[in-house]
Amino acid sequence: MAGDGVGAADRPNVGAQVATALILGGMLAGGFWYMAKNSAESSAAERPAVCTAATGTMPAPYVSGTRLCEVLNRPDLPALLGTPGDQARTAWGSDGWTDRDDRSPSPEGNVTLQTYEVKLAVSYDKLPVARLGRLLGNTAEPTKVLGRQAVFYSDRTIAFAVPLGGGGKAETRTGGIARHLLVAKDAKDGGGSYEIIIWRTDQAMPDDTALLRIAESVLPTVPGWAGR
């Protein structure tokens, strides 16, 4: 990550659905500072990174960002991504909240590997995934995952060019594609969702089959997941 680092998009703000791509793109820098700060020491480590605890406390019954990080940062994550030679370089959780009036929790876990960066987030809002899919525009691809309503969609990342040696200024430019998979929190799609996002550090197109493998393996292990 000494050269380019890439951040991922957050889920769209409901109050501005028609600008989804712009909103998502604007949120990409959220984890960049953290990753840049830790990448040098983490990439040199012989062992995979362990999750750094999220700041703050997520009240019960909501799952914390730290726990989501731990669920995502599993030993077989590189194999699920199709890059078994990789290992986690940085891993951390975040206990966020939406900016909407209901102030619903939006915790997330993040793991950075050599080839991929991965985010697992949970939304506790009241929006059904089917409705979100209709709002996401042409990139939305409705599907079913683990028997629940789901939708694939894409957005662009932002790439950060950081000059080596401390000279010059960091620059931003349009990055590669981030692939998102939203899965309803319950079989009735009554509101709220899980979201997995993957994007490649080399800006190549992410693998949808890898995204599905992660969803099918990781989501049933998230606290609060229920089979019904």
Side-chain angles (χ1 to χ4, degrees), residues 79-213:
L80 293 174
L81 286 164
T83 55
D86 282 359
Q87 68 177 26
R89 293 184 167 188
T90 58
W92 74 100
S94 174
D95 288 341
W97 295 76
T98 65
D99 293 329
R100 300 192 293 274
D101 292 340
D102 58 5
R103 289 282 293 166
S104 61
S106 56
E108 62 183 48
N110 300 267
V111 178
T112 301
L113 303 95
Q114 181 178 353
T115 306
Y116 274 100
E117 300 184 26
V118 189
K119 177 188 288 188
L120 169 63
V122 181
S123 173
Y124 291 93
D125 59 29
K126 299 178 181 179
L127 286 170
V129 167
R131 181 183 172 195
L132 280 170
R134 292 192 295 271
L135 296 168
L136 286 168
N138 294 333
T139 69
E141 304 167 36
T143 186
K144 287 289 184 76
V145 173
L146 296 169
R148 303 187 184 187
Q149 186 67 43
V151 61
F152 283 105
Y153 71 98
S154 301
D155 72 326
R156 284 280 182 181
T157 64
I158 293 176
F160 296 84
V162 182
L164 299 177
K169 296 181 178 180
E171 299 179 350
T172 62
R173 60 178 182 268
T174 300
I177 297 293
R179 286 293 283 169
H180 301 238
L181 177 61
L182 285 166
V183 180
K185 286 186 87 280
D186 59 66
K188 295 181 179 180
D189 194 16
S193 59
Y194 301 94
E195 183 167 20
I196 299 172
I197 312 169
I198 63 173
W199 64 106
R200 293 181 58 106
T201 57
D202 60 5
Q203 299 186 23
M205 188 68 181
D207 183 359
D208 278 0
T209 60
L211 190 52
L212 276 173
R213 284 194 298 266

Side-chain angles (χ1 to χ4, degrees), residues 21-46:
L22 294 176
I23 294 170
L24 291 167
M27 296 297 290
L28 294 173
F32 173 70
W33 178 87
Y34 184 94
M35 289 186 288
K37 177 176 179 292
N38 291 280
S39 62
E41 58 190 33
S42 296
S43 61
E46 294 182 359

